[in-house]
Every structure is written in C-alpha cells, then in structure tokens.
Amino acid sequence: MSKSLPPPPGYYVPAVLFFDENEELHVPSIQAHILRLAQGGVTGILVQGSNGEAQHLSHEERKHAIALTRKTLDENGFDNVLVIAGTGAQSTRETKKLCVDAKEAGASHALVLTPSTWPPQMSAENILRFHREVADASPIPTMIYNFPVVTAGQDLDSDIIATLAEHPNIVGTKLSCGNIGKLQRLTTRFPSSEFAVFAGRTDTFLHGLNAGSAGTIAALVNILPKLHGRLYQLFQEGKHQEAMTLQGKLGHGDWAASKVGGIGGIKAVVSKNFGYGEPHVRGPLKPVDVDKFAENKYYQTLIELIALEKSL
C-alpha cells in the first residue's frame, strides 16, 4: 500500500459551530462563519475539532455539518479549501463509522482523538492498536490528534506518534499539547510531504514553523484568520523580526481567548464583532454573556487584535 498524502502546509481552523436558542444547528450563521474564514485565506477547515462540540452532536448532525461546510465552500468558489473532519469516538468501531461518514460528507482527511473513557487501559500497545485499526479501515487518510486536556490527560509522546507515522494511511498530527520539543523530534524524522506535523495552538505557530512544522490548526483562527495568514506570509518571506513581533501579539491573543469563556466565549466574540451567530452552546458548556465583556480585561486584548484583523 502506497503512502496516502497529508494535508498541505498552511493554517487551518477548528471551526466553532453555531446553534439557535433551541440548540439546533443555525445554518445561516454556520455558513457566514465558513465564508468569513475562507475569505480570510485559511488553508482548510476542521469540522468537529474540540471547538466544534463534536461530542455534543449526533452522528447525523456530525455528517450534516461536514457536508454543509463542503457545500458552502464549493458553492462560493472555495473548492480549494480543504475540509478535515474530527472523527474521534470512545470505541474503535464508532470511530471507523465516523471516518466513513466523513468521507461520504466530503472530508479529505480525518483527525482522530485517542479514546479516554478508560485511561488505565490505554497502554502504548493499545493506543497503537486503536489508531492502526482505524487507519486500516478509514477510506480517507487519518491524523493523530494529541490533546491531553480532552483525553483524560493522555499525552502521546514522540515515540508513539513516530511509530504511527509509519502507517501508510496515517499522514499527520495536531499537537495541542504545545510541546515544541516533541514537534521538532517529529519534523526532523518525517518530511511534511509524508507526515504533516501541525502546532495545535496559536502561541506555538511561529515557533513550530521555525522547528519545521507544516503550520497550525488553532482555535484563535476563528476570530483572526487574516492575522494568521499574515504571520504565515511573513515567515515564508523570511521577515523573521516582523513575524516574531506579530507572533507575540497573537500569543497574548491566544491566552486572552482562553480566558473569555472557552467555546462559548469564542462564539460570543465572533457574534459581537463580526455580525453573525449567537453564543449558544450545548450543555454542560455555559454560554457567555456578551454584555459582560466590558468587565473582562482579556477581551480588550482581543479587541485590539480584531481592529488589526479588520485593517488587513
């Protein structure tokens, strides 16, 4: 079996998913968000990453959200923008099913979280077996999603990820652990044309690029797609001091975004500043009161960056 192709280098967004007041998918807001991100130059959109509330959706809703994203992009001239689908589930069987659904809905790649219901059972051997079995069955290439915060503290090390990278249908990883040492150990073993290593946070975007990464898949892109594109451009042009200055600003923005209410906070910031969507989330997540942002010092950091975003 020949090696499947990874996603191309660039900057990707784990898109938030907008609901109405009854917690049903709000299609106009979802489409408005997709188009603003595409117009902001993103390389691809990750549907049902952690920011997309995948665990709160039915199988039908997950498949519909992927298809809606692909359809919205295609109908508006953005057929070059990739759609990656988060397909993590708590059993190997269900994860395989979600990979098939993702392919049928138009995704090019699947991003797979390690199951976390039974962490004591997830030995290195079991982790390897899970990801290999999923990749064997998946009709699209898979990527390893390492995010200890949402997998009961499981933090896959570079040895495990490198072993999985040898599989012909495992083509990359998203490192939301923020470990640059791990990232560089992987980038120095595998070229991005074979196994793409993406920083999973904006505050490691430029540092990851300097260490050989393929780019980033980061939550802050939901708010600031053009600024991420500007940073990527500065890096490609070799303007290292300008890039580092912008990275510093985005690093503060990344921290601020984590302090305004999580997923609900990101939705609220988008709603207040870009004219679409409402900050509804599905429980147990809590919605964020937009009117209280004036009291939040971190929101002011985001406002300054949004002004810069709108100037581009």
Side-chain angles (χ1 to χ4, degrees), residues 1-292:
M1 182 178 178
S2 61
K3 184 75 173 179
S4 299
L5 294 176
Y11 61 106
Y12 295 72
V13 54
V16 293
L17 192 66
F18 288 95
F19 301 115
D20 64 19
E21 63 275 11
N22 297 314
E23 297 186 9
E24 299 295 334
L25 301 185
H26 193 255
V27 172
S29 297
I30 295 169
Q31 291 181 307
H33 193 51
I34 291 165
L35 290 178
R36 186 175 69 85
L37 295 170
Q39 290 160 359
V42 298
T43 313
I45 295 176
L46 168 60
V47 185
Q48 282 126 51
S50 299
N51 282 275
E53 297 181 67
Q55 292 81 1
H56 301 168
L57 305 178
S58 68
H59 279 212
E60 292 74 19
E61 287 174 323
R62 290 176 76 147
K63 192 170 184 179
H64 176 57
I66 298 166
L68 176 63
T69 302
R70 184 70 271 165
K71 181 173 182 285
T72 301
L73 290 168
D74 291 348
E75 289 181 348
N76 288 277
F78 294 107
D79 53 300
N80 60 316
V81 177
L82 271 69
V83 174
I84 300 173
T87 59
Q90 293 307 306
S91 73
T92 306
R93 179 186 177 91
E94 184 179 8
T95 306
K96 290 177 181 179
K97 170 66 165 59
L98 290 171
C99 288
V100 172
D101 287 351
K103 165 69 173 178
E104 292 176 351
S108 63
H109 297 79
L111 184 67
V112 184
L113 272 173
T114 302
S116 56
T117 300
W118 308 104
Q121 302 298 318
M122 298 308 292
S123 61
E125 178 185 3
N126 217 10
I127 290 169
L128 292 170
R129 182 166 63 91
F130 165 76
H131 282 288
R132 285 168 172 162
E133 289 183 1
V134 170
D136 285 342
S138 177
I140 52 179
T142 68
M143 301 170 64
I144 310 303
Y145 188 6
N146 187 56
F147 194 5
V149 171
V150 299
T151 53
Q154 295 179 91
D155 189 1
L156 308 191
D157 63 30
S158 53
D159 288 341
I160 289 176
I161 296 173
T163 300
L164 290 170
E166 302 288 352
H167 190 287
N169 204 35
I170 298 177
V171 298
T173 185
K174 177 181 189 290
L175 297 180
S176 294
C177 54
N179 188 324
I180 293 295
K182 181 188 301 183
L183 182 150
Q184 191 165 35
R185 285 191 291 276
L186 292 168
T187 62
T188 52
R189 288 189 62 177
F190 305 99
S192 290
S193 58
E194 294 180 8
F195 187 79
V197 181
F198 291 93
R201 303 158 45 138
T202 294
D203 61 7
T204 58
F205 186 12
L206 180 60
H207 313 303
L209 289 170
N210 286 328
S213 81
T216 193
I217 306 172
L220 190 61
V221 183
N222 279 287
I223 301 172
L224 306 169
K226 292 180 181 179
L227 282 182
H228 285 78
R230 178 61 179 154
L231 177 57
Y232 191 56
Q233 180 185 16
L234 289 171
F235 170 78
Q236 291 179 310
E237 293 174 352
K239 297 178 179 177
H240 301 299
Q241 189 54 54
E242 287 182 62
M244 189 61 75
T245 298
L246 182 53
Q247 173 64 65
K249 293 177 180 178
L250 288 173
H252 285 289
D254 206 23
W255 181 247
S258 73
K259 296 295 184 180
V260 294
I263 295 171
I266 290 176
K267 291 185 188 183
V269 171
V270 169
S271 174
K272 187 171 179 63
N273 291 278
F274 296 101
Y276 61 84
E278 295 185 16
H280 303 297
V281 290
R282 286 186 176 174
L285 297 179
K286 290 178 61 178
V288 171
D289 186 349
V290 176
D291 295 330
K292 292 185 177 179

